[in-house]
Amino acid sequence: MKNSTQLSDFILGAYFDGGPFRSLYFTIVMSLYVFIFGSNLLLIVVICVNRSLHEPMYMFLCSLFVNELYGSTGLFPFLLIQILSDVHTVSAPLCFLQVFSVYSYGSVEFLNLAAMSYDRYLAICCPLQYNELMTANKVTKLIVAIWSPPLLVNFLTLPLIVPLKRCGNIINKVYCDNHSIVKLACSDTTLNNIYGLTVSALSVFGPLIVILYTYMRILKVCFSGSKQTRQKAVSTCTPHLASLLNFSFGACFEILQSRFNMNSSPNMLRIFLSLYFLTCPPLFNPLMYGLNLSKIRVTCKNLITHRTC
């Protein structure tokens, strides 16, 4: 029977001894975090300071980049500390904080992508009414709706997992997650499982329904419209679809991995795929939007050229 001192900490069981490669792993992870932080912060600053980018599409992009910073900061500093540690333990309060940040990041990401698809739908399917339908006031309300429910819902998750009496303290991952903590409980967790499945379903399928509906309407207009309309749809929707597929793959695998036994899979593969939705979208989204959207690309180029001159 573990005493209360032991149960006040969690052991992250997926870490392995890096040996002489520990410094290399630390350097790689640090480099990734610096690139993610710098690229997302650059695009946030570019959008905020350039008045020509104060349009709905770029405001939603700014919200997306802020969320990438939020999610990666909830993971990378924690990973860096653990890579250098000989004993991979984390205090319960810090573990619960990471659960909150990781899950709220995922929910905000899906809602943000849904809002962006709705914006593209109005721009392509209702171009003449776009400025009337997507006003600055409506953009503000949508951004509040993107952030407020996930933060509130995931905050309400904490009272369900913090009081749980735990029979163990080993989490077989490299970061803390809700379902792994619930599986350690000795007490009844029916309410936790129902709440977790309900929140996961609403967080994933709610935004996906909006995205599927809007893209069905966009495709309908593209097939019946002019070549110019199709080119506009492709140029503005391709980065969004790439972001959606990239994040959905990682998020769906993480949900499946947390609910089913994946012990038969190689440990390195499980670690990589569990980190995918927290590392790849923040890494690739700035590149996709920065390179594909000409206004952002030109503004970044001008900013860099101006500073180096």
Side-chain angles (χ1 to χ4, degrees), residues 151-179:
L151 294 178
L152 177 61
V153 167
N154 285 283
F155 181 78
L156 293 176
T157 302
L158 297 178
L160 293 176
I161 61 173
V162 172
L164 288 175
K165 295 181 179 179
R166 299 182 292 275
C167 293
N169 63 343
I170 299 177
I171 297 175
N172 292 315
K173 300 186 76 169
V174 294
Y175 63 89
C176 298
D177 77 300
N178 178 40
H179 194 62

Side-chain angles (χ1 to χ4, degrees), residues 76-285:
F76 277 94
F78 182 87
L79 278 181
L80 291 168
I81 293 171
Q82 293 297 325
I83 288 172
L84 293 179
S85 300
D86 293 320
V87 181
H88 304 294
T89 61
V90 55
S91 66
L94 185 58
C95 194
F96 297 138
L97 178 62
Q98 189 172 49
V99 168
F100 172 79
S101 63
V102 166
Y103 281 77
S104 54
Y105 155 78
S107 300
V108 169
E109 192 86 354
F110 265 127
L111 285 174
N112 212 128
L113 291 170
M116 290 168 67
S117 69
Y118 174 66
D119 174 69
R120 291 301 84 207
Y121 157 71
L122 292 180
I124 295 169
C125 300
C126 312
L128 299 179
Q129 296 84 30
Y130 177 75
N131 290 330
E132 297 176 9
L133 295 172
M134 190 59 75
T135 61
N137 185 45
K138 188 171 184 179
V139 171
T140 302
K141 289 180 179 178
L142 284 172
I143 290 176
V144 171
I146 288 169
W147 283 86
S148 299
L151 294 178
L152 177 61
V153 167
N154 285 283
F155 181 78
L156 293 176
T157 302
L158 297 178
L160 293 176
I161 61 173
V162 172
L164 288 175
K165 295 181 179 179
R166 299 182 292 275
C167 293
N169 63 343
I170 299 177
I171 297 175
N172 292 315
K173 300 186 76 169
V174 294
Y175 63 89
C176 298
D177 77 300
N178 178 40
H179 194 62
S180 295
I181 295 175
V182 171
K183 288 193 291 187
L184 296 174
C186 303
S187 53
D188 181 49
T189 59
T190 302
L191 180 61
N192 298 76
N193 290 321
I194 293 173
Y195 184 82
L197 287 171
T198 302
V199 170
S200 297
L202 292 175
S203 299
V204 174
F205 294 111
L208 280 180
I209 289 171
V210 174
I211 292 168
L212 289 173
Y213 172 78
T214 54
Y215 270 97
M216 285 173 61
R217 298 295 300 271
I218 289 171
L219 287 173
K220 183 179 179 181
V221 170
C222 288
F223 285 126
S224 61
S226 63
K227 182 180 179 181
Q228 184 180 4
T229 302
R230 288 194 293 272
Q231 288 177 339
K232 178 184 177 183
V234 170
S235 64
T236 59
C237 293
T238 299
H240 178 264
L241 283 172
S243 296
L244 175 64
L245 293 173
N246 188 29
F247 180 75
S248 297
F249 169 78
C252 289
F253 183 86
E254 175 57 20
I255 292 171
L256 291 174
Q257 181 180 234
S258 65
R259 296 286 168 177
F260 298 99
N261 187 358
M262 303 287 289
N263 291 333
S264 58
S265 303
N267 187 47
M268 285 297 293
L269 178 64
R270 294 204 312 271
I271 291 173
F272 172 75
L273 291 175
S274 69
L275 293 173
Y276 188 95
F277 86 112
L278 285 162
T279 55
C280 290
L283 180 65
F284 291 118
N285 281 347

